[in-house]
Amino acid sequence: FIILTNLAFPHFCKHFKTKTLAIMGLSLYVICGTMPYILDNIVIILIFRALLGISVGMIMPLSTGLLSYYFPPEKQAFLMGLSAAMNQMGGVVATLLAGILANISWNNAFLVYLLGLIAIAMVIAYLPNERLGTHAAAAAEPVPSIWARLRKFHPSVLGMFLCMSLFFVYPGNFGIATGSQTTLSANAITILMVGLDVIAFFVGLAFGKLMRHFRRAMKYFAPVGFIIGYAILAASCNLCALIVGSLFIGIANGVGIPYLNTIASIKGGKAAVTMVMPLISASLYLGQFLSPFYISSLGSAIFDNNPTAPYLMAIIFGFVYLIQVFSTRHFQSLPPVEK
């Protein structure tokens, strides 16, 4: 439902102004997210989760697209890094809060969606209320087809799909693989996994400076980081290898997302919020959704249910990602970065 809503997002922008759209999405997020707190029917809960997906599909393109709409290109690297860092830390905080609340009662975990009220208050206080496209002539123009937008922005869209597919091999398999190969407790494994998000958070904060100092090499950080990280996890299961492998994967994720968002936002300009960011968001969630099917399951089938099979398959797709980056970005002009 997130993906479907992302694809329809440009049409929403033709009918609703920025603040209205953000408040609608966030309000639906809070209501549908917290509703299972008072429900115990799984069918009704799943319906509200689908509606929650619609709300996220409305919010995600705005969360990055408005940065390209309101701020100049030279600020994009810093802002996209900051946005990615907040996503990582938000996930850590929300997961910890949900765990604490779930220890009281399973349905208390859904109260974590009340955090959306903070975002609603900030949107009401600070976000300008204007129609994306800025003038009536733009609003009257037909929305370019998905295929037309993909032809223009396919390097970033496909890159995000590969980046997210590779990243979600880690949370989907690390706990199982590590638990079966080591004597580490569940709490220790959880700390390692949360540590990856913390690493990605700090990488996001430093992304603007990294782009300034490693401009030509940044495009390769994510695929190379995934390849090295999963190679280390596949080669050894001692604690040092688990830490170092997780470190490389955290760096890859912390660089990959803001890099792709930065390049796409600069190429799309003010139109990025309606033209490319919905596609980037859709590819992000499509990669997350399909990763267990085409990487983890394929790895288990090819490598005979080896506990590290998903890592081995991730290495192969890491090279696919590296080739995709080289073939689409090696000769690409570099975006400006504010000093």
Side-chain angles (χ1 to χ4, degrees):
F1 279 89
I2 295 173
I3 295 167
L4 293 174
T5 307
N6 285 155
L7 298 180
F9 183 80
H11 298 280
F12 295 158
C13 293
K14 293 176 72 69
H15 299 287
F16 301 102
K17 293 184 177 181
T18 309
K19 180 179 286 189
T20 304
L21 194 58
I23 292 175
M24 287 170 54
L26 287 166
S27 298
L28 190 64
Y29 177 85
V30 172
I31 294 170
C32 296
T34 56
M35 193 59 68
Y37 173 70
I38 60 174
L39 300 171
D40 58 6
N41 184 301
I42 185 60
V43 175
I44 298 177
I45 288 176
L46 288 174
I47 291 172
F48 276 104
R49 300 308 283 181
L51 293 173
L52 180 71
I54 293 174
S55 73
V56 176
M58 296 168 66
I59 297 166
M60 283 297 291
L62 288 173
S63 69
T64 51
L66 289 180
L67 298 178
S68 63
Y69 189 81
Y70 286 116
F71 297 94
E74 60 270 17
K75 291 183 178 290
Q76 294 304 306
F78 168 75
L79 291 171
M80 290 301 178
L82 193 61
S83 174
M86 293 304 105
N87 279 337
Q88 295 291 339
M89 188 51 62
V92 172
V93 172
T95 302
L96 290 175
L97 287 176
I100 293 170
L101 292 168
N103 274 328
I104 301 172
S105 174
W106 70 269
N107 57 337
N108 282 2
F110 293 98
L111 293 176
V112 76
Y113 288 97
L114 292 175
L115 289 171
L117 293 173
I118 300 173
I120 291 176
M122 295 181 71
V123 165
I124 292 173
Y126 297 111
L127 186 64
N129 194 24
E130 58 184 292
R131 192 178 301 280
L132 298 174
T134 67
H135 42 72
E141 294 175 358
V143 176
S145 69
I146 293 173
W147 302 116
R149 287 181 281 148
L150 279 175
R151 281 196 296 271
K152 182 176 182 180
F153 299 108
H154 69 87
S156 294
V157 175
L158 180 58
M160 185 62 79
F161 174 79
L162 291 170
C163 182
M164 285 297 96
S165 295
L166 286 166
F167 170 69
F168 275 97
V169 170
Y170 182 89
N173 297 278
F174 183 81
I176 298 172
T178 305
S180 65
Q181 293 181 293
T182 70
T183 58
L184 290 176
S185 67
N187 286 339
I189 295 172
T190 301
I191 291 172
L192 285 173
M193 297 180 71
V194 172
L196 179 145
D197 290 326
V198 174
I199 291 298
F201 166 75
F202 284 111
V203 172
L205 290 181
F207 180 75
K209 292 182 178 179
L210 291 172
M211 276 289 284
R212 197 160 65 240
H213 295 294
F214 304 100
R215 297 179 72 198
R216 296 198 64 84
M218 282 295 284
K219 60 176 73 73
Y220 299 114
F221 274 34
V224 171
F226 282 127
I227 292 169
I228 294 174
Y230 286 122
I232 292 172
L233 293 180
S236 176
C237 59
N238 64 56
L239 182 59
C240 182
L242 294 175
I243 293 173
V244 175
S246 299
L247 175 66
F248 273 99
I249 294 169
I251 292 172
N253 188 50
V255 169
I257 294 176
Y259 179 82
L260 292 165
N261 283 334
T262 299
I263 299 300
S265 68
I266 291 174
K267 186 174 182 179
K270 282 185 173 292
V273 65
T274 56
M275 294 297 101
V276 62
M277 287 310 172
L279 294 178
I280 292 284
S281 178
S283 66
L284 185 156
Y285 286 100
L286 187 64
Q288 174 182 344
F289 179 73
L290 292 180
S291 180
F293 297 101
Y294 88 98
I295 293 184
S296 299
S297 297
L298 190 59
S300 297
I302 292 176
F303 296 105
D304 196 25
N305 291 315
N306 185 318
T308 63
Y311 300 154
L312 297 172
M313 186 56 59
I315 295 169
I316 295 173
F317 277 97
F319 280 104
V320 173
Y321 185 17
L322 183 62
I323 293 169
Q324 186 265 344
V325 169
F326 181 83
S327 62
T328 59
R329 302 208 183 273
H330 185 67
F331 303 104
Q332 188 178 53
S333 59
L334 297 170
V337 179
E338 186 180 61
K339 293 184 178 181

